[in-house]
Amino acid sequence: MAGDYPKIERVMGGPAGWVSVLFPAVLFVFFLNVLPDVVHGPIVAGIDWVPSLGVRMSVLLDGLSMMFALLITGIGTAVTLYSTHYLGDHPHYPRFVCYLLMFMVGMLGLVLTNDLIALFVFWEITTISSYLLIGFNADQASSRRSALQALLVTGAGGLILLAGLIVLGSVAGSFDLSQILTQGDEIRGHPMYGAILILFLAGAFTKSAQVPFHFWLPNAMAAPTPVSAYLHSATMVKAGVFLMARMNPVLGGTDAWFWTLILFGGVTAVFASVMSMRQTDIKQVLAYTTLMALGTLTMFIGAGTHYAILAGMLFLLVHSLYKAALFLMIGIVDHATGTRDATVLRGLAKAMPLTGLAAALAALSMAGVPPLLGFVGKEYMYHASMDLPGLGAIWVTLMTFAASALMFAAGGIVAWRPFRGELAQTPHPAHEGSWPMLAGPLTLGALSLIFGLFPGIPGHFLIGPATNAVEGAVHEVDLHLWGGINLALLLSIVTFAVGWLLYRNHEGIRARLAGIETRSPVDFDAGWDHLLDGFKHFASRLTDIVQNGSLQRYLAVTFTAYAVLVGGTYLARGAFDVGPRLIELGAHPVQWSVLLLMIAGSFLVVSTTSRMTAVAGLGVVSVGVAIVFIMFSAPDVAITQLLVEVLIIVLVTLVMLRLPYLPPRSELHFRFGHAIIATSVGAVVTMVLISMLSGPFDRKLTDFFEQTAYPEAHGRNIVNVILVDFRALDTFGEITVVAIAAIGALALLRGIRTRTKTDLNANEEA
Amino acid sequence: MELLLAVTTGILTAVAVYLMLSKNLLRYLWGLVLLSNAVNFVIFLGGRLTPGAPPLIDEGEYAPVGEVANALPQALVLTAIVISFGLMAFALALIYRTYMTIGTVTSTEMRIAEPRPRKSESDE
């Protein structure tokens, strides 16, 4: 994968490279400086962003966000430094840097923000930038598919999360996180608690790839390796874990929370560990071990005891350190040898000793071998799981045990076997990586060792404050490498033994798993494709129904909707009544005879088959309208109506000479369905009018125009004054409309080929 | 009279809707003309009916003396009449051009932009 592009000479990735390394490095140093303050208590600071909506841009820096911030910037520095060599000669390297930094900013904002709405914005920034990063090799179809899959799964989760944030915000009465974190009891007792929990977990589970939403994460391996290292260790997938940890004081501690998290987490952890044994691409092996780590973290956050949270936070640190190192190591191997196939790679230790050292440190930590930090993490996990009440203890211990043993084997597959034995033939001859690529994995590996030997350091500065933040309580945390001979240690030893056996037989297990996989009816990845295909199919069916291209159908739907919605609302609300005033008003014979004439004229239009008769019928109606205007004191309107009517008749008659006859009476069926729609619409219009006329009348506007027409606009005809003065802009718009209609009509009529006799004859013959 | 005019408006609307649902575009156009007349009545009725008192200000006065007809709906209807004329003229030109180009005024036969959905598509 690495190496198939036109190379561009850049020293350390050029300016883009230097910026990308300096940015996280400076931030990392900054956070280290603030670290001692945060150990004593959280820092909250901020400014108003959208005051009218109560949205603040404020920062909450407590133990949890501090640990994440250090991981994001620290591992970010290692990854960007690494990328300067891994991708520095790529033609689109500056673009890559932009995406990566955007991702970093989104992730930092996510863990630091103190506002729920801002949290969602940053959440979506990580979604979008991870889409861009996964799809960085955009010329490969598989890469684009993986990117889209990640975007859709995590984006959908993000939208669900937004709903959860809004419900939570309205229940708590504030979007301020530090305030909400103190309202835990109130929110857990609220009737909306269940809804909030489901919405939040949907967001967290999609982001952190819990089964059954896990399938996008292994596919996200389409990203360049430094991105995978970053996505898997410190960012993106940890965002869901962060959310659960962050919300633990508010949502945690209930039975629903406990069981949902430990069940989903446990299943994910074991399923993923088994799947990791199945893979041959060592990068894919690692991808599944990330799933396992996410499942384990979810499980321990759900378990919720002091020890469980402590173990979870510790494992978070352990995992970030070894996972970033292992991915970077794989990138070096891939870069140097041109392959990542576990069945091919052998004996790299001689050609790549430093890479081998980094790999060994990281893999030993992953396997949980003393004296690395991974051992400490595993001890605490066993300790915590056996402390749980009732069934939970058995479940969590079993899941942790199975996952740990499989991790041991996976560590062997990824970082032991490729370096042992005789050097094997690879596409490129193996050679050691350059210092920017080695710096990250070696440092991270060394940290795993140092923290393992002196667990008090991370315990005091990182794990303790983080645990307190997640629990919402204050405990003193003191980590030990050696906890004495106890049940946890015993379990560890059994884990090693089982893990060793699994590793020895991993090729046989792999073959058997591959067999099961081909027979298995459940395939999440293919299921995803079916889901998408189903959506497209549904959309096209729906379009066929709604947009079938028939004017008649569109109009029928529109009119029916009007009649049903407006009429239905009137009937449902019982709003329809005829005021007594309306009935008392009589009508002069001249008045009602005009109305009768109009009705007769309109029926003539419907029933005739002669075009001229129809035009005459229209004329009757229009003149009737004009007479009504005259009777009720609107002479200006009446004159306009008459003029326009004459124009219409002239136009229609002119055009009619060239248009076909109406269909003969034999074809003019009475359409019963149409008549029902038409009658309903007419009835609803009458109903609305009668209700309107029965109600009180507000003369405020009319009075205003009557009082101001002369003094302010110097006109005695109030209608004219309104048109040319008060509402002059409307009139201008009206003129514009007519002008545009005229231009449009002109454009339509221009260049029309006049039909000659021969054309018409040809038509008739056809 | 208000009641009667409301009923008449309803009938005009019903006739207009029935015509607009026709597949013959000429009948559709007449429906459009009738509908705009009916809508003008709705606006006009909204300002209530006042017989024999146009909204004018007598010489030497600053405001109308006594009750005069509501001027606002009249202004609105004036605008509406002109606009509906523009719409009608444009629609007429469109129908004419359509007929000259594709030789039909039956809307169901106009399927150039949106061909009938093929039945076989659902089998893919």
Side-chain angles (χ1 to χ4, degrees), chain A residues 640-722:
Chain A
T640 317
Q641 172 79 16
L642 274 176
L643 285 175
V644 164
E645 180 50 32
V646 171
L647 261 177
I648 289 180
I649 301 294
V650 170
L651 276 180
V652 170
T653 316
L654 263 177
V655 175
M656 210 68 83
L657 293 174
R658 291 172 176 275
L659 285 180
Y661 293 113
L662 287 176
R665 191 164 294 281
S666 56
E667 285 178 26
L668 198 67
H669 310 295
F670 176 73
R671 302 290 298 267
F672 191 68
H674 291 178
I676 288 182
I677 296 176
T679 317
S680 319
V681 173
V684 169
V685 167
T686 302
M687 203 159 74
V688 171
L689 276 175
I690 288 175
S691 302
M692 178 180 80
L693 292 168
S694 307
F697 179 56
D698 183 1
R699 281 188 60 94
K700 201 162 66 189
L701 270 179
T702 309
D703 285 341
F704 168 80
F705 287 125
E706 284 179 2
Q707 297 306 320
T708 51
Y710 187 72
E712 290 191 10
H714 306 287
R716 296 191 178 279
N717 183 333
I718 302 172
V719 176
N720 285 359
V721 168
I722 293 175

Side-chain angles (χ1 to χ4, degrees), chain B residues 24-35:
Chain B
N24 186 297
L25 285 184
L26 285 175
R27 285 167 70 83
Y28 170 87
L29 187 68
W30 296 331
L32 201 62
V33 174
L34 280 181
L35 190 67

Side-chain angles (χ1 to χ4, degrees), chain B residues 36-111:
Chain B
S36 53
N37 278 329
V39 169
N40 287 345
F41 268 162
V42 172
I43 301 173
F44 193 61
L45 262 175
R48 304 299 189 273
L49 300 181
T50 314
L56 301 170
I57 301 169
D58 290 335
E59 203 68 48
E61 302 288 341
Y62 282 94
V65 182
E67 197 187 338
V68 294
N70 195 340
L72 184 59
Q74 294 192 19
L76 295 180
V77 170
L78 266 176
T79 310
I81 289 174
V82 177
I83 299 231
S84 61
F85 167 71
L87 176 65
M88 208 284 307
F90 181 76
L92 189 64
L94 196 59
I95 293 170
Y96 176 56
R97 176 72 201 227
T98 308
Y99 180 63
M100 287 296 148
T101 309
I102 63 177
T104 178
V105 290
T106 307
S107 65
T108 46
E109 288 167 15
M110 299 174 179
R111 314 265 356 175

Side-chain angles (χ1 to χ4, degrees), chain A residues 23-44:
Chain A
F23 178 75
V26 168
L27 279 175
F28 182 69
V29 172
F30 167 77
F31 283 119
L32 271 186
N33 266 327
V34 192
L35 181 61
D37 297 335
V38 176
V39 170
H40 299 300
I43 301 173
V44 179

Side-chain angles (χ1 to χ4, degrees), chain A residues 231-312:
Chain A
L231 270 171
H232 281 237
S233 60
T235 58
M236 188 67 181
V237 297
K238 291 281 172 67
V241 172
F242 171 80
L243 186 72
M244 288 185 272
R246 174 54 91 211
M247 286 299 154
N248 183 50
V250 183
L251 302 176
T254 61
D255 277 352
W257 170 272
F258 179 80
W259 286 108
T260 314
L261 262 62
I262 69 165
L263 285 178
F264 273 91
V267 169
T268 306
V270 173
F271 170 81
S273 319
V274 173
M275 286 303 289
S276 76
M277 301 291 292
R278 154 76 190 88
Q279 309 302 321
T280 52
D281 180 348
I282 50 178
K283 201 172 161 189
Q284 285 291 348
V285 177
L286 273 191
Y288 279 99
T289 64
T290 302
L291 276 180
M292 165 268 167
L294 295 171
T296 309
L297 286 169
T298 306
M299 197 160 65
F300 278 95
I301 292 171
T305 61
H306 168 63
Y307 249 107
I309 301 286
L310 174 62

